[in-house]
Amino acid sequence: MKIGILAVQGAFAEHKAKLEKLGAQCIELRKREDLDGGFDGLVLPGGESTVQGKLLRELDMFQPMKEKIEVGMPVLATCAGLILLADHLSNDEHVYFGTMPVTVKRNAYGRQLGSFHTIQEMKGMGEVPMTFIRAPYIEKCEEGAEVLAEVEGNIVAVKYKEQYGLAFHPELDEDDTIHSAFLESVKKYKVLK
Ligand code: GLN
């Protein structure tokens, strides 16, 4: 099983370490040609969504990556990655991939209070630790988007088709639950493909 990890900016190394520990092979996606490397799942890491969006376009990676998501490739998107997937941002005029029918608010906890840690139930997965860093949250889900977790009444995790959108950073905690669930989706996709 091969996972492509967007590695133009942000916290990609931690995802790679965790996925490799779980037995997946990983390739870092830094340029257009890396997208031809035959991977079965995609990770969009945290970082700065505006910078990532700009680099994806400049590097000519935007359209081919969007097409892979649109045909059903499983995606694990964390924080800035969730912002890239959302089809609406409530406080920003940009839309990036727009492949997930959710409205996301950037820096939703404010810039100062933006970082905190909690443990919450994820639907079907039990309790998982959640680290938030200048995090967005999901204000609204449209049809087909399933809420996986809420923290204090705000939606922080959603699944749409095989796309996981998380406001927090599961790669920064010891727990492997979410990455394992993602790899299960990838396994399923690989069989169906
Ligand atoms: N605040 C960042 C953004 O809007 C996201 C923060 C993160 O990925 N940790 O892109």
Side-chain angles (χ1 to χ4, degrees):
M1 206 157 34
K2 213 161 151 187
I3 308 297
I5 304 180
L6 179 62
V8 293
Q9 193 266 340
F12 53 88
E14 294 84 354
H15 280 290
K16 188 173 178 210
K18 197 177 267 293
L19 290 166
E20 284 177 346
K21 189 182 96 185
L22 293 171
Q25 203 188 329
C26 295
I27 53 170
E28 294 185 7
L29 308 173
R30 297 174 182 277
K31 52 186 189 306
R32 169 71 188 82
E33 302 82 78
D34 296 335
L35 297 176
D36 302 330
F39 51 93
D40 313 292
L42 175 66
V43 173
L44 301 175
E48 200 52 44
S49 54
T50 45
V51 178
Q52 294 178 354
K54 187 163 171 279
L55 286 171
L56 282 169
R57 291 206 188 269
E58 283 173 8
L59 295 163
D60 227 0
M61 295 169 79
F62 185 84
Q63 200 53 35
M65 200 172 262
K66 180 174 158 82
E67 280 162 22
K68 283 183 192 295
I69 303 170
E70 279 171 346
V71 298
M73 177 174 277
V75 186
L76 177 60
T78 59
C79 210
L82 164 67
I83 294 167
L84 294 187
L85 291 186
D87 73 356
H88 273 94
L89 301 178
S90 61
N91 56 350
D92 192 305
E93 68 206 8
H94 288 96
V95 173
Y96 299 96
F97 294 126
T99 54
M100 187 178 256
V102 293
T103 299
V104 168
K105 184 174 182 184
R106 288 187 65 198
N107 299 312
Y109 297 92
R111 290 196 174 263
Q112 300 308 318
L113 293 170
S115 302
F116 61 96
H117 188 267
T118 185
I119 298 177
Q120 288 291 333
E121 186 81 16
M122 283 278 285
K123 195 171 175 183
M125 299 186 199
E127 290 199 326
V128 300
M130 300 179 179
T131 299
F132 292 81
I133 304 170
R134 287 178 296 111
Y137 61 62
I138 297 141
E139 287 188 327
K140 207 166 80 186
C141 286
E142 302 294 343
E143 208 182 315
E146 182 189 8
V147 176
L148 295 182
E150 291 185 33
V151 171
E152 288 169 6
N154 298 314
I155 303 167
V156 297
V158 163
K159 190 177 183 204
Y160 175 70
K161 297 186 177 169
E162 297 308 320
Q163 301 170 44
Y164 290 89
L166 311 174
F168 55 94
H169 287 266
E171 77 283 8
L172 298 181
D173 282 294
E174 280 297 311
D175 189 89
D176 295 331
T177 308
I178 290 171
H179 286 79
S180 300
F182 167 63
L183 288 179
E184 283 304 313
S185 284
V186 177
K187 214 185 283 175
K188 215 166 69 189
Y189 174 72
K190 202 168 147 59
V191 172
L192 292 175
K193 205 165 60 164

